[in-house]
Every structure is written in C-alpha cells, then in structure tokens.
Amino acid sequence: MTKLSTLCYIEKDEKYLMLHRTVKENDVNKDKWIGVGGHFEYAESPEECLLREVKEETGYTLTSWAYRGIVTFVYGEDIVEYMSLYTADGFEGEPIACDEGELEWVQKSKTDTLELWEGDKIFFDLLEEDCDFFSLKLVYDTEDVLKSAILDGKQLPLSADGKWPGR
C-alpha cells in the first residue's frame, strides 16, 4: 500500500510541537512522538495537505513554513509512505485538543529522550544542521527496527541493532 502524507514540526522558543500518538487503534505510530500532519486528500498539493492537517490537529493556521525534505518510509512488506517534511516558525490561532493524542511543546534538545522512530532522529539531526532539501529513505521491519537509512542516495551507517549513532 502506497500513501502520501505531510509531517510538520512547528517551532517556537527552541521547542517543537510534538504529538504523542496514544488514541488510534492499529496505529503504526502508536505511543510514538511525532510532528503533526497526515494523509493527502484527493487532489491536494503537499502545501494544501500541510495547512489542512495542521489546522485540524492543532487549531493553528500556519503563516510561515519551509519544505525541508521528502522521507520515504518503508514498513514491512506492504507499507510505503512518501512524507513531505516541513518545519514552520509562524502560526496564529488558538490551540485545540487533538483527537489523535496529546500535543506538547518539547525542547529541541530533549527530543532524543522521547519514544521516536529511529529514523526521526536522523531527520532531526538534518533539521538542526539546517540541511538543504533532502531525500531520506527509511526501511523498517515490522518490529520497528530500522534496517536501512539512505540519505540523498547514500547509505548511512547504523549500528547492528538499527540505531542511529548521530552525526
């Protein structure tokens, strides 16, 4: 199954707005901390999906954002998702409760203490380095172990247990 989605990390005061996914049943992201976003609706562009999903999940209307990369997320034998990755540093509106989990502002320096996908640690490093637009392919088995990470066509080193050693 191939999916298209957006993922956004809203930034404020050296913090990211993170979503702790605790609500949905049969959720590949269950108990993980991720950014906000979701799947494309028919005929949406990445930006239209981004703006709609952020509004639906947070109540915020983005006023300033940057398209940072494309992440190809492969999970097991049957899930491939192409995620348009964004950061945003401008927004307006009042926050709302999210029906997919709890939203929390997390210090950027503390993200590595959260239950994250291992590959998210790679793109957090890329975001912090202010990397130009990148393409990152992340391949996981169904036990959530990262098997392969490829950045702009080049294999990245992982430990034997699929951990990202950092830059």
Side-chain angles (χ1 to χ4, degrees), residues 45 59 62 91 98 104 135 163:
S45 70
L62 296 182
F91 58 92
C98 182
E104 185 177 325
S135 174
K163 301 292 184 199

Side-chain angles (χ1 to χ4, degrees), residues 146-158:
L146 184 59
K147 294 299 191 183
S148 174
I150 301 168
L151 176 63
D152 295 329
K154 297 183 179 100
Q155 187 74 43
L156 294 175
L158 300 174

Side-chain angles (χ1 to χ4, degrees), residues 13-161:
D13 301 327
E14 291 301 309
K15 296 177 184 174
Y16 286 126
L17 184 60
M18 303 284 293
L19 173 58
H20 189 201
R21 292 286 289 254
T22 57
V23 176
K24 287 185 175 181
E25 293 297 317
N26 302 317
D27 182 3
V28 72
N29 291 306
K30 180 86 172 147
D31 296 324
K32 300 267 196 287
W33 289 80
I34 62 173
V36 294
H39 294 103
F40 284 45
E41 291 183 351
Y42 176 74
E44 277 187 320
S45 70
E47 291 76 18
E48 289 167 329
C49 179
L50 166 74
L51 296 171
R52 177 186 53 77
E53 285 285 348
V54 168
K55 180 74 170 176
E56 288 175 2
E57 292 183 0
T58 68
Y60 295 134
T61 299
L62 296 182
T63 59
S64 175
W65 64 89
Y67 196 171
R68 303 296 299 277
I70 183 81
V71 179
T72 305
F73 175 82
V74 180
Y75 187 78
E77 298 295 318
D78 61 346
I79 295 176
V80 177
E81 187 166 332
Y82 298 98
M83 295 183 295
S84 293
L85 180 64
Y86 290 86
T87 54
D89 60 4
F91 58 92
E92 56 191 23
E94 294 300 317
I96 61 170
C98 182
D99 63 1
E100 296 182 11
E102 296 80 40
L103 291 167
E104 185 177 325
W105 289 100
V106 177
Q107 287 287 345
K108 290 180 180 183
S109 62
K110 303 282 187 201
T111 56
D112 61 345
T113 66
L114 303 174
E115 181 68 28
L116 302 172
W117 288 100
E118 194 65 27
D120 290 12
K121 296 174 185 177
I122 298 171
F123 63 69
F124 276 133
D125 282 353
L126 295 169
L127 294 176
E128 287 307 304
E129 291 175 11
D130 209 21
C131 230
D132 287 336
F133 189 88
F134 58 86
S135 174
L136 179 63
K137 181 178 180 181
L138 304 169
V139 180
Y140 290 87
D141 66 17
T142 54
E143 302 298 315
D144 296 353
V145 175
L146 184 59
K147 294 299 191 183
S148 174
I150 301 168
L151 176 63
D152 295 329
K154 297 183 179 100
Q155 187 74 43
L156 294 175
L158 300 174
S159 65
D161 61 351

